[in-house]
């Protein structure tokens, strides 16, 4: 991408409701544009982050043999009436179609997947299995909050597993919990912990949340200073949250923190499969009800959290895996040799399929660097007449500036970049 | 994928409204499950086709420097009121949010993109540019028709270009028209023609439809038997469609055909940009209104058309680019050496990133072949005790059965498969 072609909105005057550094960076850097209350348009820069997050999720879920499917956003209301959630889930958007039918815009898909599975599952031999989708969801929130953390419309990965018994569900649940850790690690989302969570509206027995520990979190969580006990405030229901709490496991003091929930997994049991008559034939030809787990990751919220952990509202920091561009080439001055070298390097990166952005514009150097800060490519290659004269090239990587004394040439720079990328992509 | 893990619904008793071979194949092969009227769930098999189509679209649009973005599905009604389409587009789903606001579920995004562009565009230097998204859309149809051709919810690629003048729009429009031809060619969608189309509700000057000529088409189109004139029935408005029509270009007879629209492109002019006050500063610092083009591809409808052109309801035919699996490995019998060879080949294909499906189950041979017909992998590798004895391996490719006399070994089969795939993927 040539920077002059990148169509993004750079918001200079930030709205007063943009209070966190991530929200400010999202607007200042043109990652998103606000289309309505709780409704955002993702620019190519923002979408690229989203797609890179999705790619990691797909890769990791495929290791557990999860199969990606796609269910409709809109569905008949009947399914939600079968489980009774039509009347209990307040953020469910209900509407009448022009044909007069009751319909909903699904904020989650337990009912829809149960309908699919009851029409498809026949034998115990098919169990266990896990299906997932990556899809836009809508929550009809009464009040939209500012920023990208809790939007009305958002991108979600929702997975659903089906099992003959609790032992199988437990085993799969534990594996998924480990996969979630790998996903956040690969995305470079730091300070994420898994904690015991309430099952709430979803029902079921066991639940864990993945919480990013941050100053801007809206959830209260407790972490034991003695053992590894970690829980959401709601799990410790009969306690006054403002008191100093004691760990139910070891009796030591609990540390109170606030978090942002980036994932949530549940052992649902038969709540949905029973209500919706999902069944299979067991080894003896007897009809049985499978049990179920569900596993969510807020994809657009994860994006928001990645922006929150950037240095400040003017400086995006992404790892090699999620960065929209891996390399940012900046040429300084009008010198033909400088421009030629920058363009050659850009072409070579393009040919190798390495996402790069190039700035050979006549903008001031300070402005070029400020733009590069907003885009957050992990590698910055600076080509200037001064460096050319000294026969060195300059590369910033992870914030460090280095001058390399090797002969300045496209292939030297290219090989150095390739080596860094190969070294830095976290594959598991 | 091991075939016993593939969670799909194989519908034996087809519903009476499944009348086309594509619709029947979609249900019989488990590509989709019907969730509601005009609402479908895509299994991993169906979704894989969809994602492969999307990949080709992304690759081709990137050659025109189009930038992928993502706009919200739900938006405030205000934008649609600005252009007046809130009251004129009958399939627009309107609803009130819980907070009491008028909102819509966007079936197309001219209004939303215009709002994004008016907030972002500043200078003539940024023009021309083209933004696109691949997104689920909803049309609130009064009556849902059967099958996958016209569903209420569907996947769409919608692109929008912005220009200073008609010359620039014309030039880009012509390039996009050529890119569309390349896309359908790469997807292996045959018998697609571009024809003159009415501008209709969208407004604007010039429009083309891409129509797949097929017996099941619902559009009437006319093709000149003398010159290359091709038009939608609605373009020839003052004529009685059932008459023999005369080509307005050369005077020869027009041939009447029915088609399925798989794409539609428009030169919109300033209809939306004027109504929504989109502007930029020209070279002299004067405020100007850009003009606009829009370019749609029905992604899920393209999938439906690919199924329609399969041999019949029991035999899917896909090219190497779109096929969910490139290779289908079938082992015959329980022989350990046979099973070992099949599994080794499967592992080798997996390691090379070549999507393969393996059937080492104890099912009858006829049933294994029937399943393979429904899945439609272009290459079928059959490993049997008979072949092992003769030291040959058997491979079906594009319907042809061949016995190769080279020594039977995983690496020999693997190399042959790699060579075929390399040869067959259409890259442009």
């Amino acid at each position: 991408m040539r920077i002059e072609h990148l169509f993004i909105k750079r918001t200079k005057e930030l709205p007063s409701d943009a209070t966190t550094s991530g929200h400010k960076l999202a607007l200042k850097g043109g990652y998103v544009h606000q289309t309505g209350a709780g409704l955002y348009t993702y620019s190519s820069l923002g979408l690229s982050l989203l797609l890179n997050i999705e790619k990691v999720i797909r890769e990791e879920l495929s290791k557990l043999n999860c199969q990606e499917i796609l269910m409709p956003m809109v569905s008949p209301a009947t399914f939600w009436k079968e489980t009774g959630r039509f009347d209990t889930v307040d953020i469910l958007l209900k509407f009448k179609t022009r044909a007069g039918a009751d319909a909903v815009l699904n904020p989650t898909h337990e009912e829809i997947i149960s309908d699919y599975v009851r029409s498809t599952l026949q034998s115990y031999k098919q169990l266990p299995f896990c299906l997932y989708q990556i899809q836009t969801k809508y929550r009809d929130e009464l009040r939209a909050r500012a920023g990208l953390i809790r939007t009305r419309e958002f991108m979600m990965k929702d997975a659903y597993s089906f099992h003959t018994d609790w032992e199988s569900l437990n085993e799969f649940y534990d594996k998924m919990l480990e996969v979630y850790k790998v996903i956040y690690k690969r995305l470079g989302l730091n300070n994420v912990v898994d904690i015991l969570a309430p099952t709430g509206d979803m029902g079921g027995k066991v639940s864990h949340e993945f919480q990013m520990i941050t100053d801007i979190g809206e959830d209260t969580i407790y972490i034991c200073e003695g053992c590894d006990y970690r829980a959401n405030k709601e799990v410790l229901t009969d306690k006054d949250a403002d008191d100093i709490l004691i760990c139910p496991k070891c009796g030591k003091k609990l540390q109170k923190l606030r978090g942002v929930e980036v994932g949530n997994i549940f052992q649902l049991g038969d709540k949905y499969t029973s209500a919706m008559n999902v069944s299979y034939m067991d080894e003896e030809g007897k009809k049985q009800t499978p049990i179920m787990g569900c596993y969510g990751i807020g994809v657009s919220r994860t994006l928001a959290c990645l922006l929150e952990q950037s240095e400040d509202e003017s400086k995006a920091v992404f790892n090699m895996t999620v960065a929209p561009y891996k390399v940012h080439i900046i040429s300084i001055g009008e010198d033909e040799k400088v421009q030629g070298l920058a363009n050659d390097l850009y072409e070579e990166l393009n040919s190798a399929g390495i996402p790069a952005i190039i700035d050979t514009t006549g903008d001031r150097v300070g402005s070029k660097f400020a733009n590069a800060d907003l885009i957050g490519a992990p590698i910055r290659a600076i080509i200037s007449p001064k460096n050319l004269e000294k026969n060195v090239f300059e590369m910033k990587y992870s914030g460090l500036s280095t001058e390399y004394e090797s002969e300045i040439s496209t292939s030297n720079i290219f090989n150095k970049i390739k080596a860094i990328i190969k070294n830095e992509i976290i594959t598991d």
Side-chain angles (χ1 to χ4, degrees), chain A residues 391-403:
Chain A
N391 201 21
V392 296
F393 69 86
E394 189 181 342
M395 195 148 64
K396 272 199 170 196
Y397 172 59
S398 290
L400 298 169
S401 179
T402 326
E403 287 196 8

Side-chain angles (χ1 to χ4, degrees), chain A residues 138-196:
Chain A
Y138 184 82
R139 290 170 58 94
D140 197 19
E141 302 278 4
L142 214 44
R143 257 182 263 325
R145 278 169 250 196
L148 296 171
I149 300 280
R150 184 178 283 276
T151 53
R152 286 200 165 106
E153 190 172 316
F154 54 97
M155 191 61 73
M156 176 103 173
K157 183 282 294 178
D158 44 326
Y160 307 88
S161 71
F162 292 82
H163 309 265
T164 52
D165 52 58
W166 283 98
E167 195 186 331
S168 165
L169 173 54
N170 274 325
E171 192 189 323
F172 187 81
Y173 185 91
D174 288 347
K175 279 186 195 162
M176 190 62 101
L177 197 140
E178 293 306 315
V179 159
Y180 268 50
K181 291 182 192 168
V182 173
I183 289 172
Y184 297 121
K185 183 184 154 203
R186 284 187 60 189
L187 298 175
L189 196 66
N190 306 318
N191 297 321
V192 175
V193 293
D194 55 304
I195 67 167
L196 284 173

Side-chain angles (χ1 to χ4, degrees), chain A residues 319-321 397-398 419-427:
Chain A
N319 75 6
M320 203 61 88
T321 303
Y397 172 59
S398 290
I420 292 176
I421 291 177
K422 202 179 160 189
N423 201 37
E424 284 303 314
I425 294 264
I426 306 169
T427 51

